Amino acid sequence: AVVSTQSTGDQGNKAVSRQEYREALRCYEKCITIDSGLVPAHLNSALCHLKLGNHTKAVECSNKVLSIEPDNIKALYRRATANKALTKYMLSAKDLKYIVEKDSGNKAASDLLDQVKQLWEVQLREMVTPASSFPTTPSTTPNKTTTPAAKKGKKVTIVADSDSEEDEEEKLPPPQPAPSKPTTERTKPASKTTTEESKSEENKSEENKNEEGKGAKPWMKKNGGAGSLSGLGDAPTAYSFLQHWSAYKKKKDITQFAKVLESCDPKSFPKLFSSSIDVDMVVAIVDAVDKYFIPGNKHEKAIQVLQAVTKVQRFDVMTMLMSVKDKSTISNVFKRLQGDTATINTIHSRFS
């Protein structure tokens, strides 16, 4: 049996060198029939399936090898390659990360890991888009473009039965009727003054809302006086928080973003970040801890925020996508935190 498997295996290897992968597979399958635990036969079968585009089969062959030799680098790499082709980027990244940790000099695995991370981030953003693409608010959608689209049925909304909602959206604000001809000359200045005053009041209102994050935002806590956290506003939503996150990405005002985090109930974080969390957001939250919470001696709140972030559903995915530089920066921030050492270390381990 030994001679038979070796001879047949050699025939398979020669077929691979000729790029005759189907013939090679037949040889390796014969070897497996004789000895089901023959690692090289399963390993080479995985290679042939990859070359033939049979990625699911390649994963199965790699799994057989890993059930016998859990640390087999070639099997891990081939399984990662197959999962990448199957767009199972998390599984692919997990194997590649393990390889790189075991062998930091494995350039092929390192390069493939970078590719998988990029593809994975794109995939995650595409998954987020439907959840965050809420109907555009009337204030940002011109009436003259929205109305024709609604008539032609071209407006896309998340809810299938949203015809009535579209009508309501288009009614807010109501289309301004064409100004009628003034009956007297005195009405013109009055109309102009009223418009200017209205615009002035709107600007003041916006300024008041933006001032130190005190606007009546539904996702922010209302202060009941003297730092009280009683009296919550409306229940926070992923969409409302996403608005503030978008504002931060444009202005890079870490203090304002930190105040939003401070105003939110940490228990609501899993809900707030359920569809919007990404590597940049995790890094920004830690940056807020570094530049706002720690200098303000708000260590307890910082710990609550960081602990809450680790409970978000896709947090572990984000840590896998973080760069070495990001993780090094995060470690330095955790070293500056003051509080229960065991709690801090536990949270830190989740970010590592």
Side-chain angles (χ1 to χ4, degrees):
V2 174
V3 174
S4 178
T5 55
Q6 183 173 349
S7 175
T8 306
D10 288 342
Q11 292 176 25
N13 294 342
K14 289 177 181 178
V16 169
S17 65
R18 298 192 301 269
Q19 298 185 359
E20 298 174 356
Y21 301 113
R22 295 187 188 281
E23 177 60 30
L25 266 176
R26 283 192 282 270
C27 294
Y28 297 136
E29 287 170 358
K30 287 181 182 178
C31 294
I32 293 170
T33 301
I34 298 170
D35 183 358
S36 62
L38 197 60
V39 168
H42 289 298
L43 196 56
N44 291 338
S45 292
L47 174 63
C48 292
H49 283 303
L50 281 175
K51 296 294 185 180
L52 293 169
N54 303 328
H55 301 111
T56 300
K57 286 287 186 181
V59 171
E60 292 174 359
C61 292
S62 299
N63 286 341
K64 289 176 181 177
V65 175
L66 294 167
S67 68
I68 302 168
E69 298 179 2
D71 291 332
N72 190 296
I73 299 298
K74 285 187 177 180
L76 288 166
Y77 185 84
R78 287 172 187 175
R79 184 169 70 177
T81 303
N83 278 323
K84 171 179 175 284
L86 293 169
T87 68
K88 296 180 179 180
Y89 301 125
M90 183 177 73
L91 296 176
S92 180
K94 186 176 180 180
D95 283 339
L96 292 168
K97 186 179 178 182
Y98 182 83
I99 294 172
V100 172
E101 288 175 351
K102 288 285 185 181
D103 180 12
S104 58
N106 194 320
K107 190 175 185 303
S110 180
D111 290 345
L112 187 59
L113 179 58
D114 289 339
Q115 294 175 30
V116 169
K117 283 182 176 181
Q118 292 175 10
L119 292 168
W120 194 8
E121 287 190 81
V122 171
Q123 185 186 62
L124 290 172
R125 289 193 184 101
E126 289 175 349
M127 290 169 63
V128 167
T129 300
S132 58
S133 298
F134 292 93
T136 309
T137 55
S139 60
T140 58
T141 306
N143 288 327
K144 61 182 180 180
T145 57
T146 305
T147 303
K151 290 180 179 179
K152 295 179 182 179
K154 293 182 179 179
K155 187 172 181 181
V156 179
T157 56
I158 297 174
V159 184
D161 56 347
S162 60
D163 292 340
S164 62
E165 292 179 3
E166 284 186 11
D167 293 339
E168 290 176 3
E169 287 176 8
E170 290 160 12
K171 290 175 184 176
L172 296 174
Q176 297 295 324
S180 58
K181 293 183 179 180
T183 56
T184 64
E185 291 299 321
R186 287 178 296 177
T187 57
K188 286 184 178 179
S191 176
K192 183 176 180 181
T193 303
T194 302
T195 303
E196 291 177 351
E197 289 178 353
S198 176
K199 288 182 179 180
S200 177
E201 289 300 321
E202 288 178 2
N203 291 336
K204 289 180 181 179
S205 176
E206 288 300 318
E207 289 175 2
N208 291 335
K209 286 182 180 179
N210 293 331
E211 182 183 357
E212 298 182 358
K214 293 180 182 178
K217 304 296 184 183
W219 61 91
M220 296 175 67
K221 288 185 175 181
K222 296 178 180 178
N223 290 326
S228 171
L229 297 179
S230 61
L232 296 181
D234 296 336
T237 66
Y239 177 54
S240 58
F241 183 84
L242 191 60
Q243 289 179 305
H244 242 307
W245 171 240
S246 297
Y248 164 74
K249 288 195 291 185
K250 290 179 182 178
K251 299 181 179 180
K252 298 299 180 183
D253 187 345
I254 195 62
T255 300
Q256 183 64 25
F257 182 60
K259 288 180 179 179
V260 174
L261 291 173
E262 185 180 25
S263 300
C264 295
D265 183 356
K267 292 180 181 179
S268 70
F269 279 17
K271 179 180 178 181
L272 290 178
F273 305 155
S274 61
S275 62
S276 60
I277 192 168
D278 58 18
V279 174
D280 291 338
M281 184 180 289
V282 174
V283 172
I285 290 171
V286 177
D287 193 34
V289 169
D290 181 37
K291 296 177 180 176
Y292 177 79
F293 289 100
I294 293 179
N297 200 28
K298 301 178 180 182
H299 295 272
E300 183 178 354
K301 182 65 176 182
I303 293 171
Q304 291 175 4
V305 167
L306 294 172
Q307 190 171 41
V309 173
T310 65
K311 296 180 181 179
V312 177
Q313 186 176 4
R314 286 163 39 208
F315 174 76
D316 290 332
V317 173
M318 296 306 106
T319 58
M320 290 180 66
L321 290 172
M322 285 181 191
S323 66
V324 174
K325 182 180 179 181
D326 288 336
K327 290 192 174 183
S328 176
T329 301
I330 289 171
S331 293
N332 290 332
V333 173
F334 270 93
K335 290 176 182 177
R336 297 173 56 212
L337 274 176
Q338 298 175 10
D340 183 71
T341 304
T343 301
I344 293 173
N345 289 339
T346 299
I347 301 171
H348 186 196
S349 67
R350 294 293 307 281
F351 278 83
S352 302

